[in-house]
Amino acid sequence: MTELRPILERIGLLQYLECFVAEAFDTWEAVLEITESDLNSLNVKLGHRRKLQRAISDFKRQSGGQSPTLSRRKAPSVEDGYRSDVSASENKTNKKSDPGSSGTGSSSIKR
């Protein structure tokens, strides 16, 4: 188990140590599993969340491993990307054939 204090100190977020420990995020391994809603509940400021998330991302990239939670998620497949491409082209087709659109200018199309 990796101690949390030196890591939070290195990334400039030592002020959250007591708060994290009180909520059972007492090791770096536990913090690797933290979610956005956890950070919200712990009142971590948005900029500080980004710093922490960047540190977690860098650590995972350097270690080459994923957390157990991430490995359980379904990885996006080629088919998933294909489906989103198909739905995007269908949306464009539907917008063109929409009887409510005037077709007089691009200002009438909303994203």
Side-chain angles (χ1 to χ4, degrees):
M1 295 284 172
T2 309
E3 191 175 336
L4 187 57
R5 182 185 214 40
I7 295 171
L8 289 179
E9 189 170 21
R10 180 175 46 87
I11 60 176
L13 300 177
L14 192 57
Q15 69 264 33
Y16 295 106
L17 179 63
E18 289 180 29
C19 180
F20 284 1
V21 170
E23 295 297 324
F25 293 105
D26 53 351
T27 65
W28 178 242
E29 287 78 11
V31 171
L32 292 175
E33 302 297 323
I34 205 163
T35 65
E36 187 71 25
S37 62
D38 292 331
L39 294 171
N40 190 32
S41 298
L42 294 167
N43 296 318
V44 176
K45 293 179 182 178
L46 188 60
H48 293 164
R49 291 180 200 182
R50 300 299 169 245
K51 275 180 147 179
L52 182 60
Q53 290 168 335
R54 191 175 310 120
I56 290 169
S57 175
D58 290 346
F59 175 81
K60 287 180 180 180
R61 186 174 38 251
Q62 288 173 357
S63 68
Q66 290 187 343
S67 64
T69 303
L70 290 177
S71 61
R72 279 185 251 143
R73 293 184 186 158
K74 180 183 176 248
S77 69
V78 175
E79 290 179 13
D80 292 338
Y82 175 73
R83 285 190 200 118
S84 65
D85 290 345
V86 170
S87 64
S89 65
E90 286 174 359
N91 285 341
K92 287 179 186 176
T93 304
N94 289 342
K95 283 183 182 180
K96 288 179 185 175
S97 63
D98 184 13
S101 65
S102 63
T104 60
S106 62
S107 62
S108 64
I109 298 175
K110 294 183 181 179
R111 291 184 182 210

